[in-house]
Structure formats: C-alpha cells, structure tokens
Amino acid sequence: MDNIIKTIFGRLSIESLPIHEPIVVGTFLGVAVGGIAVLALITKFKLWGYLWKEWFTTVDHKRIGIMYMILGIVMLLRGFADALMMRGQQAIAFGDNQGFLNSHHYDQVFTAHGVIMIFFVAMPIITGLMNYVVPLQIGARDVSFPYLNNLSFWMTAGGVVLVMASLFIGEFARTGWLAFPPLSELDFSPDVGVDYYIWALQVAGVGTTLSGINLIATIIKMRAPGMTMMKLPVFCWTSLCANVLIVASFPVLTATLVLLSLDRYVGTNFFTNNLGGNPMMYVNLIWIWGHPEVYILILPLFGVFSEVTSTFSGKRLFGYTSMVYATIVITILSYLVWLHHFFTMGSGASVNSFFGITTMVISIPTGAKIFNWLFTMYKGRIRFELPMMWTIAFMLTFTIGGMTGVLLAVPPADFVLHNSLFLIAHFHNVIIGGVLFGAFAAINYWWPKAFGFKLNQFWGKVSFWLWVIGFWVAFTPLYIMGLMGVTRRLHHFEDPSLQIYFVVALLGALMIAGGIGAFLVQIGVSIWKKEELRDVTGDPWDGRTLEWATSSPPPDYNFAFTPVIHELDAWYDMKDKKAEAPIEGYRAIHMPKNTGTGVIIAGLSTAAGFGMIWYMWWLAALGLIGVVVVAIWHTFNYDRDYYIPVEEVVATESERRRLLGQGA
C-alpha cells in the first residue's frame, strides 16, 4: 500500500502542508476566501465563456499585453508582502527578540521576494508594455507569431502558478534569488524548495524566450512602409535590444538550471563541492545570464522615458541617433561585465581590472541618455503630467543609483561593500528608480490608449509622492548601514544601535505600501469615473508616434490602412502636414483566429513541472507527452485565420470619424 501511495503522490504528504506556520495558514485562508469569491462572481455573472473566448484564447497583442500587465501588478502585491515581512522582522529582531520569522521561514521569504520581483513582476510588466505598444508604433496589425504570443503569456503564468503553489504545498528555496550552490545542492537543500525554483523558472523561461523571438521578428519584418530602422521610435529600438538580450541570455539560464537539475535528480557533480564539481562555474553561468537580465529590464523603460520626455516637452527627442547608438553599445557591453557581481571570488587583479573598467565604461552611454533627456526638456514647453513626473523622479533617483553602481565597480571598494546592505540599497535604487518608476510612467501614459479614458490625477499624485519619498526613507538607512559594514541576508542582529535604522527603513516600506494602495485606488476611481475622464480623440497627450493615430482603444485590426512613413515621429509629421486618413476604399482585413492551444500546453507544462518537483513521475511523463501531442495536433490545425468583413471596418471607421467631429 505504501508503495502505491508513494508511486501516486511521490514526496507529497500531509507533512508537506505548512499547517504549523500560522502566517502561512492565515495567508492561505485569505487567498482561498478571495479566490472563491472571485470564482463565484465570475460564475454568477456568467463570464466564463466571455473570458475564455475574448481573453484566455486571444492572440490579439493588445489583450495579451494587458494580461501580462495585470499578472505583473498582482504579483507585485505578493512580492511586496514578502518585502514588508522582511522589513518588519529586521526592525524588531534584536538581542533576545527573535522576531516573528524563524531563520528557515525568513530565508524562503527573501528568496521568494527576489524571484517574484524580477521574474514575475518586472518581466511581465516590460513584456506587456512591449506587446501592447510595439506593433502600434511600427504600424503593424499584430506581432509576427500571434499564437506564439498567447503561448508565451500562459507559460509565464504557469511559472507563477508553481511559485504560488510553493507557499501552500511544501516550501520554497532558501538559497537567495539566484540559488547558488552548494546551498542549492541536495546536501544542503534536500527538500522541494529548489525544485520549485528550477521548474517555475524553466516553464516561465520558455515563455520569455519565445516572446523575445516573436518581438525581434515583429520589429525587423513588420514595420510600415517607409519606416527605416533610423525612423523607428526609440521605444521600439530599446525593445529590440532588450529582446536580443533575452534570446542571447535566457538559453544560458535554461542550460544552467538543467545542469543544476542533473546534480539534484541524477547525481552528477557539475556544481558540487566534491567529485570534480565547481560551485563557481554556476556563479559565472548564472551571472552571464543575470547581468544582461538587468538591462533587459531597464532598456525598454529607457524607451518609455524617451517617449514621455519628447511628448511632454513638445519637442523631437534630442540626439535621436546618439540615443540609438548608446542603446546598442549598452546591449553589447552588458555581456562583458558579469564578473563584477563576484569580484570577491579571488579571480586576480587582471580579471577584476578588466571587469571593473568595462563596468565603468557601460555607465557612459547610460549617462549620455540622461543628457539626451535633459536637452530634450531644455527650452521645451514642459507639461508636468504624471508620466513626466515619474520620468523626472527616475532621472534623480537613477542617477544616484548609477553612481553607487560605479562605486561598486571599483574592486577594492567592492571587497568592503559586496556583502553589505549597501549593495541591497544600490540594486533597489536602480530597479525601483528605473524599472518600477518607468512602469508607472508607462501605465499613466498609455492607459488612455488601452482603455479610452485617462487615469485619475489626484490618486496618481498621492501614489507618486508616497513612492518617491518612501523609497528614500526605506533605502537611505541601508546605504548608511552598508557603509558601516552591516551584513546583508540576516534575519536577526545583536547590535541594538542599528535598530533605529531598520525602524526608519520599515517606515519607508510602509509609505511605499501606501503608494501601491493609492495606485490601486487610482485605477478603481478612474474606472468608476471613466466617463469624466473619457478621451475620444485617441491622442490625449498630443503624441508623436503612430499608436496615437488610432482610436482609443484601438480596433482589433489597429489600422484600417497601413500607414506610410516619411519622417521620424510619424504621427507628429502627419499632423503637421495635415494629412488625412482615406474615407473610402476599405477592404476586408485578414486576421489570426483565437486558439486555446497555448492555455492547454502551458497547463500541461505546469503539471509536468509539479510532477518533477514532487517525484510524481507519472504526472511529469503525462504532462510532457501531452505537450508533445498537443503541439503536433496544433500543426494540423489549418483553420487559423478569418477576415473582418469590409462592412464592419467601414462602420468602425465611420464611428471614429463621428467621435472626432469629422462627419460620418
């Protein structure tokens, strides 16, 4: 009997449920009640059919982009809850007080925080932005591979499911967000935590890689007539470079995790401390992926800041050509700096010098971008709308974060600061000040394009000030303690003089929590008052690029006629020359059909990952076989497209002209 149970359930047992952890049990009950309520509401209002037909199976790049953004925002709440727990623990855990998290649970929390924030908050947000905006900016009707786009999203969602499952079934890794050996080897992590880490990242990584290939093909091959590479909007350039980095670096992450899996499942010794293994090989491989990853995150947001600065200064972007070349230089150099993450490994002076110098060199094109934005603002008619406010906050915050990065690029300084809270403050300085501030700028900027109404200004400003001030209150104490030599990754401290710094940091984190809350209120109030905030022009900011040439939200086909491009800032050029869209000659428009295959393959992949985590080999095998069978079956499905009737196109475009006051 025991053998049958073990065959069916593998390592999974009643003991795998963390019923002895009151925090986890309380969280589970809250999530369960909330989840049941949501499912009940969907069922009550009979929304399942609508969600399946219009959203889950959609291949429309705009809807997939919105789903990516929703996924990122939901996971921001989970990842930030972990951050609050860590800040609360460190603020009280001094001397005899052990705090409310034991070391075992704390290590899971801080590992989950890093993994979720990078892989399941930042990545979905930037992928969602690129998905939504890039095809519109280049005058395309969709991405190159619409079905692949749907599959990419659901694979990312599958990774989220596995990470979230670890909260309630078993436990997560206790290794830090990059799962360094030997901590992640079986000797030190015999439980399922590292396996959750591996399979969540492998499933989501497939989605990210496919998305990167898709967007590169879209930008290279689907630009409107006349849009040469040097007439491409800067956001498209930064997206192109970020996706080149994705395609170049994510296979390295996949291979590294395969080798770690072999160590854990088969008994190889790639990264062990004995039998020829070398943990430092893992560190090199993971950072060869990991350093380009931070540029994958920030480059698309550099594009956002360029679009916002140009629009709200009422000027063409200063130094467009230099901005493009700076982006390309950053893309190349980002592959030559990975070793600065572990100067302390003992590589020797020559190796450390090379990577220190390349790290300082990469700051030059990054700094050049700051000057481009400042010169764009110079003598411009600046409008301090929310996207512009976030952009200016980014410039100030990111500049300081960049300077602390250059300090860490000096090997002797890094030897002192590497394992301190200074590094934590620096990393959050550039990721929050760059990626999250950029995400909020982008959401406020493109929201009216996606939904047809602006976001509420008052709650947006409340969120802005709580975030910006809260950030500095939260992380300045960490810079100070880092310079004092306080070590990172600790859940308990002995020196009582440090407590005041952690209490201040907790206050900053609570202010950021208020900023997140105000952001959610901003969305809620905006939806409630959407008629007051309605935009019928499709161009509420007097934009300069092609996405503002369509209605808000854009029709399924984006453009009734493919635009022809003559200048950079194509939409501004069309307005300046008083170009008018044709009002006749419409044709039926060829479009891809929705498909449920992406949802099914991602679901089977997630099931296979869950089987591998718990040694339920039958489930893993069925999942993998199912993926292959469904993928082959999909290749025989030739019913993949349809035509939007010309009458529907005429009606849509006539309604657009009516709203613009141009007659029927």
Side-chain angles (χ1 to χ4, degrees):
M1 188 65 182
D2 286 347
N3 284 339
I4 294 173
I5 291 173
K6 194 169 183 181
T7 301
I8 296 173
F9 294 105
R11 292 190 282 180
L12 189 58
S13 66
I14 295 295
E15 287 74 38
S16 305
L17 303 176
I19 50 181
H20 55 284
E21 295 274 6
I23 294 174
V24 177
V25 171
T27 305
F28 174 74
L29 290 174
V31 170
V33 170
I36 291 168
V38 169
L39 294 176
L41 287 171
I42 292 173
T43 305
K44 179 183 177 182
F45 292 105
K46 299 179 180 175
L47 293 174
W48 287 111
Y50 166 76
L51 289 173
W52 176 259
K53 289 177 186 173
E54 300 296 329
W55 290 92
F56 297 170
T57 61
T58 187
V59 294
D60 183 344
H61 72 95
K62 299 181 288 297
R63 293 195 169 192
I64 291 171
I66 290 168
M67 290 195 293
Y68 266 118
M69 298 291 288
I70 292 170
L71 183 69
I73 291 166
V74 169
M75 292 308 289
L76 173 64
L77 304 180
R78 162 71 207 278
F80 190 74
D82 288 340
L84 274 182
M85 281 199 288
M86 287 189 287
R87 280 285 154 265
Q89 166 70 17
Q90 290 183 321
I92 64 174
F94 282 83
D96 295 334
N97 187 344
Q98 293 296 313
F100 56 89
L101 293 175
N102 58 41
S103 57
H104 186 90
H105 194 180
Y106 180 85
D107 287 349
Q108 289 181 61
V109 169
F110 95 79
T111 302
H113 171 71
V115 171
I116 287 168
M117 287 301 199
I118 296 295
F119 291 99
F120 301 116
V121 176
M123 286 301 293
I125 285 175
I126 65 150
T127 309
L129 282 175
M130 293 188 293
N131 252 300
Y132 196 98
V133 176
V134 164
L136 289 168
Q137 284 200 336
I138 64 174
R141 292 214 164 109
D142 211 310
V143 293
S144 285
F145 309 109
Y147 155 67
L148 211 61
N149 208 12
N150 176 280
L151 174 63
S152 299
F153 169 75
W154 286 110
M155 291 297 281
T156 304
V160 166
V161 168
L162 289 177
V163 166
M164 296 302 278
S166 72
L167 186 60
F168 307 123
I169 307 171
E171 58 183 42
F172 199 60
R174 292 170 282 108
T175 55
W177 74 281
L178 288 176
F180 290 140
L183 275 178
S184 53
E185 294 284 351
L186 272 177
D187 288 346
F188 296 93
S189 295
D191 49 63
V192 296
V194 174
D195 301 316
Y196 264 118
Y197 174 93
I198 288 170
W199 294 105
L201 266 55
Q202 292 288 50
V203 171
V206 170
T208 303
T209 308
L210 294 177
S211 179
I213 294 167
N214 205 347
L215 283 162
I216 290 172
T218 301
I219 295 169
I220 296 296
K221 300 297 290 182
M222 297 187 70
R223 301 188 309 278
M227 185 176 279
T228 61
M229 292 301 285
M230 292 311 285
K231 289 176 185 166
L232 207 58
V234 174
F235 179 75
C236 294
W237 262 112
T238 57
S239 297
L240 175 63
C241 289
N243 284 294
V244 166
L245 285 175
I246 285 173
V247 173
S249 66
F250 264 80
V252 177
L253 175 66
T254 301
T256 307
L257 294 177
V258 166
L259 296 179
L260 181 59
S261 302
L262 290 172
D263 277 10
R264 291 181 61 83
Y265 285 83
V266 184
T268 56
N269 293 277
F270 291 107
F271 306 131
T272 57
N273 270 327
N274 50 23
L275 296 172
N278 185 356
M280 285 316 304
M281 183 165 74
Y282 179 95
V283 178
N284 270 283
L285 286 170
I286 204 77
W287 279 119
I288 287 170
W289 160 80
H291 198 85
E293 166 66 9
V294 299
Y295 286 96
I296 289 166
L297 297 180
I298 196 63
L299 279 175
L301 283 315
F302 282 169
V304 170
F305 296 128
S306 298
E307 303 290 348
V308 168
T309 304
S310 177
T311 297
F312 291 101
S313 298
K315 284 175 62 184
R316 177 175 288 195
L317 185 71
F318 179 89
Y320 169 86
T321 306
S322 64
M323 187 71 94
V324 169
Y325 285 119
T327 305
I328 295 169
V329 168
I330 289 170
T331 304
I332 296 166
L333 287 178
S334 70
Y335 246 106
L336 298 175
V337 295
W338 80 86
L339 199 129
H340 71 209
H341 290 276
F342 45 104
F343 279 143
T344 54
M345 73 178 273
S347 295
S350 56
V351 171
N352 283 358
S353 298
F354 173 82
F355 284 94
I357 291 165
T358 52
T359 304
M360 293 178 201
V361 169
I362 204 171
S363 69
I364 296 170
T366 310
K369 286 175 175 287
I370 298 281
F371 285 106
N372 280 92
W373 296 318
L374 290 174
F375 283 128
T376 303
M377 292 163 65
Y378 179 64
K379 289 192 175 179
R381 195 178 288 268
I382 301 172
R383 292 171 284 150
F384 289 100
E385 301 275 0
L386 272 166
M388 194 65 187
M389 290 170 64
W390 282 110
T391 300
I392 292 169
F394 149 77
M395 288 188 209
L396 296 169
T397 308
F398 193 83
T399 300
I400 294 169
M403 289 191 292
T404 58
V406 173
L407 177 59
L408 287 166
V410 180
D414 189 71
F415 267 75
V416 179
L417 297 170
H418 177 80
N419 208 35
S420 76
L421 288 171
F422 187 94
L423 188 143
I424 301 298
H426 157 72
F427 187 73
H428 286 80
N429 200 158
V430 291
I431 294 296
I432 293 177
V435 178
L436 276 178
F437 285 12
F440 288 125
I443 289 168
N444 281 280
Y445 184 55
W446 279 303
W447 178 282
K449 174 51 55 183
F451 298 105
F453 58 93
K454 289 185 180 181
L455 281 172
N456 179 275
Q457 287 278 308
F458 173 78
W459 285 105
K461 288 179 180 176
V462 171
S463 175
F464 171 83
W465 288 111
L466 284 171
W467 258 104
V468 174
I469 297 169
F471 168 78
W472 285 111
V473 175
F475 289 99
T476 303
L478 271 62
Y479 273 128
I480 295 168
M481 286 190 288
L483 291 169
M484 292 161 60
V486 179
T487 309
R488 58 189 172 127
R489 299 182 176 133
L490 296 181
H491 88 297
H492 177 267
F493 299 87
E494 296 296 338
D495 183 353
S497 68
L498 298 176
Q499 187 164 14
I500 183 63
Y501 294 102
F502 283 110
V503 170
V504 172
L506 174 60
L507 290 174
L510 291 171
M511 291 177 73
I512 293 173
I516 294 173
F519 169 66
L520 298 176
V521 171
Q522 180 193 20
I523 291 175
V525 169
S526 302
I527 294 170
W528 181 36
K529 297 185 174 180
K530 63 182 178 183
E531 291 309 319
E532 296 174 29
L533 299 164
R534 178 74 62 195
D535 165 59
V536 297
T537 66
D539 185 16
W541 310 121
D542 191 21
R544 306 178 72 83
T545 43
L546 276 180
E547 73 270 29
W548 305 109
T550 66
S551 59
S552 296
D556 289 347
Y557 50 80
N558 291 350
F559 301 93
F561 295 96
T562 301
V564 178
I565 309 306
H566 300 284
E567 294 285 341
L568 182 65
D569 289 352
W571 176 232
Y572 177 83
D573 179 54
M574 291 175 187
K575 290 188 289 188
D576 187 50
K577 292 176 179 171
K578 296 184 168 51
E580 292 186 6
I583 59 172
E584 54 187 25
Y586 297 109
R587 295 182 180 178
I589 294 175
H590 182 244
M591 295 294 289
K593 263 189 180 175
N594 289 0
T595 174
T597 311
V599 183
I600 296 166
I601 288 179
L604 290 167
S605 301
T606 307
F610 191 80
M612 292 298 294
I613 290 162
W614 288 102
Y615 296 0
M616 296 159 68
W617 307 123
W618 62 272
L619 180 60
L622 283 176
L624 288 170
I625 292 167
V627 167
V628 173
V629 169
V630 173
I632 292 172
W633 169 78
H634 182 70
T635 64
F636 288 96
N637 173 22
Y638 298 110
D639 183 22
R640 297 192 187 189
D641 53 1
Y642 72 104
Y643 281 87
I644 297 175
V646 66
E647 296 80 14
E648 188 177 325
V649 178
V650 170
T652 303
E653 295 300 312
S654 297
E655 176 62 14
R656 160 94 166 132
R657 288 197 301 278
R658 186 188 69 77
L659 290 172
L660 291 173
Q662 296 176 356

